[in-house]
Structures are given as C-alpha cells and as structure tokens.
Amino acid sequence: MNTPLMMGAVAYAPKVVTIWEGFKAWFRENGVEFDYILYSNYERQVEAQFDGSIALAWNSPLAWVRAERMARARGQQVRALAMRDSDCDLTSVLVTRVDAAGGAGSLDALRGKVIGFGAIDSPQANLIPLDYLRQHGMLAGTGFQARRFDVLGGKHGDHIGGERDAALALMAGEIDAAWMIDSNHMAFSREGVLPAGATRIIARTAHFDHCNFTVSPGAPEAQVARFGELLMAMSWDDPVVRPLLELEGLRAWLPGRTSGYDALIRAVDDERFYSPEGIILASDYRY
C-alpha cells in the first residue's frame, strides 16, 4: 500500500470524526491513500506541519497566519491549497438590544459601555472585531470595556460557544453589545437565543476569509496535487459526495487564497497574539 497523504484536523466537535472518516473512504475509492490525525488544538497542529507529521492541515485563518510566519522564519513556505465556498467573503456583526437603556443604536453610543467578544483566539468574534473597533478609534479599556467569553481555547473559535454565551449575556442585560459572525447571528435568531425583533446590528466588519487547507513545507507534491484535483472535482450533485459537503458546511471547494486575511494579520500584530516568527505572545491564552 502506498504511504498515505497525512492531514491534520482539530477535534472541535464529535462530527469531525464522521467528516474525515467519510473523506478518507471517498479519497481511497478515488485512488488517493489519505489519512488524518486529530489534534486537540490548532497550535499543536501548526507545529506538526514543521516536524514531518502531516503534509496538509485543515487550518483556521489564525492557524494559517501562524503557519505562514513560522515558515517564513525558517526560510520555508506554506501555501493555501483550497478552501470552502463558505469560507469566502464573511463578515462579523456588532449586535445590541433594541430595548437597551440609553438606546445604543450607533458605535459612538457604545463608548464607555461593555462589549462582549468570543474566545481570545476567535478570528471572527474577537481579533477581527477588535481590529474593526481600533480602526474606528475605539480601544479596549479606554473607548469601551471588553468582556470576553472564552470557550475551548485552542479551537480558534470553531466551537461557537463563546459567541452563543455572549449573545445570551446580551439578552440578559449583562453586556451592552456583542460581536458574532453574521451566520451565527442568523443561527441564534433561528434558535431563539436572540428573539425575533429583539436585536439590531449597529456595525459590520469588512469581508474576510476563513479556513484553508495549508500545505506543509516538504509535502509530497504529486500526492498533494492529486488531492487538490479530487477536491475540486467533488460535486454537490453527486449523492455520495453531498452528505460529506453538507457535514463540512460547503457546496463547492475553491482554490485557496490569502487575500482575505489582512484584517486578521493586522489584529494579530496589534493585539500581540503571535510574534513575526509565530511565537505565541498572548499571556492569557490557554489551549
């Protein structure tokens, strides 16, 4: 048997095993020996990209930033092979209660108030929102008070519990506003976490991108290329493939791009999350 192409993925929920077991079977049926290693957090996964353990990593955008920095510091390169259609052109929203005392209906009205954020390592619910506020002249501790809802550190916000906890705190009147990715705002509205008509959006970030398949330095190029070809060939109309795509939350795979990470990169530097070499600087980060 050929040596399998090894991929890393983070076990942020039980469905991760189902997803990658399904992909493993499908790739093998299509002539690619493929296997995966599950990691408890993205920091360990990124480090494994540099010790020969994995040829590919299904990385969060924050994990991509660290991998790219670590590679550059070593005189190496990583590249984004592919991403989901659902990873492109996303936004996060700042939500307030319609019935809030004082009627916080604008960003300026939140000066001096308490704003809720997701986990410390969440691109969409902490780092990118902090960058947005910084770009609009609002800094934590002076322009507003930040309350972070840390859930499952090291998962980079893939576990949306922090965003849900912030939404619940908003409705309980514990905070004045809360950040969440737009799709979760809609999901929380459907679930009743945010009752219909009870909230309004007062700010929205610029578009950003999310996860990508990151190719490790020294990965076997022929196997990676074939893996990429098969990814792009996966069709929503194929009844065997569709359940896998549904589980992973996409309709089509797209070529990887890195142009949608600018705000996150800026936030990583401004918040001193990683050094330019990919060293973890955030002192209160637990993973």
Side-chain angles (χ1 to χ4, degrees), residues 47 50-51 66-77 217 277-278:
E47 290 160 9
F50 296 90
D51 67 12
R66 188 178 185 210
E68 196 279 329
R69 291 182 177 205
M70 289 177 67
R72 187 159 20 94
R74 290 164 167 77
Q76 299 174 321
Q77 287 186 326
E277 298 77 29

Side-chain angles (χ1 to χ4, degrees), residues 11-12 20 38 43 50 66 95 110 131 139-140 167 171 189 195 204 207 212 227 237 249 258 262:
Y12 65 88
W20 295 115
L38 294 182
E43 309 309 336
F50 296 90
R66 188 178 185 210
V95 179
L110 285 174
D131 176 73
L139 301 179
M171 295 314 302
S189 298
R204 183 184 296 271
H207 289 108
N212 75 60
F227 178 87
D237 296 327
T258 59
D262 289 351

Side-chain angles (χ1 to χ4, degrees), residues 49 55-57 77-81 212-217 219 221 224:
Q49 291 201 261
L56 292 161
Q77 287 186 326
V78 292
R79 62 185 176 91
L81 176 69
N212 75 60
F213 272 115
T214 307
V215 180
S216 305
E221 286 300 325
V224 169

Side-chain angles (χ1 to χ4, degrees), residues 77-97:
Q77 287 186 326
V78 292
R79 62 185 176 91
L81 176 69
M83 59 205 317
R84 302 169 297 188
D85 55 354
S86 53
D87 285 312
C88 300
D89 299 322
L90 309 179
T91 62
S92 290
V93 293
L94 182 59
V95 179
T96 63
R97 298 189 315 280

Side-chain angles (χ1 to χ4, degrees), residues 7-10 42-43 45-46 49 54 56-68 78 82 84 87 156 158 210-216 261:
M7 184 208 74
V10 169
Y42 279 106
E43 309 309 336
Q45 177 168 291
V46 170
Q49 291 201 261
I54 51 176
L56 292 161
W58 182 230
N59 270 340
S60 76
L62 187 59
W64 158 263
V65 172
R66 188 178 185 210
E68 196 279 329
V78 292
R84 302 169 297 188
D87 285 312
H156 291 189
D158 285 354
H210 216 263
C211 300
N212 75 60
F213 272 115
T214 307
V215 180
S216 305
Y261 299 143

Side-chain angles (χ1 to χ4, degrees), residues 80-186:
L81 176 69
M83 59 205 317
R84 302 169 297 188
D85 55 354
S86 53
D87 285 312
C88 300
D89 299 322
L90 309 179
T91 62
S92 290
V93 293
L94 182 59
V95 179
T96 63
R97 298 189 315 280
V98 169
D99 65 353
S106 68
L107 205 56
D108 276 344
L110 285 174
R111 292 186 184 275
K113 301 292 183 66
V114 181
I115 299 178
F117 297 81
I120 183 174
D121 55 356
S122 172
Q124 67 266 14
N126 188 52
L127 291 165
I128 292 173
L130 284 171
D131 176 73
Y132 177 91
L133 293 172
R134 183 184 294 271
Q135 298 301 312
H136 287 78
M138 294 179 66
L139 301 179
T142 56
F144 63 93
Q145 297 302 310
R147 181 176 171 190
R148 205 170 63 218
F149 293 82
D150 272 325
V151 174
L152 293 178
K155 305 295 193 293
H156 291 189
D158 285 354
H159 187 288
I160 64 173
E163 290 172 68
R164 182 177 281 110
D165 288 352
L168 290 168
L170 174 66
M171 295 314 302
E174 298 171 11
I175 58 178
D176 298 297
W179 280 102
M180 59 201 73
I181 200 166
D182 190 36
S183 58
N184 283 340
H185 177 246
M186 292 186 286

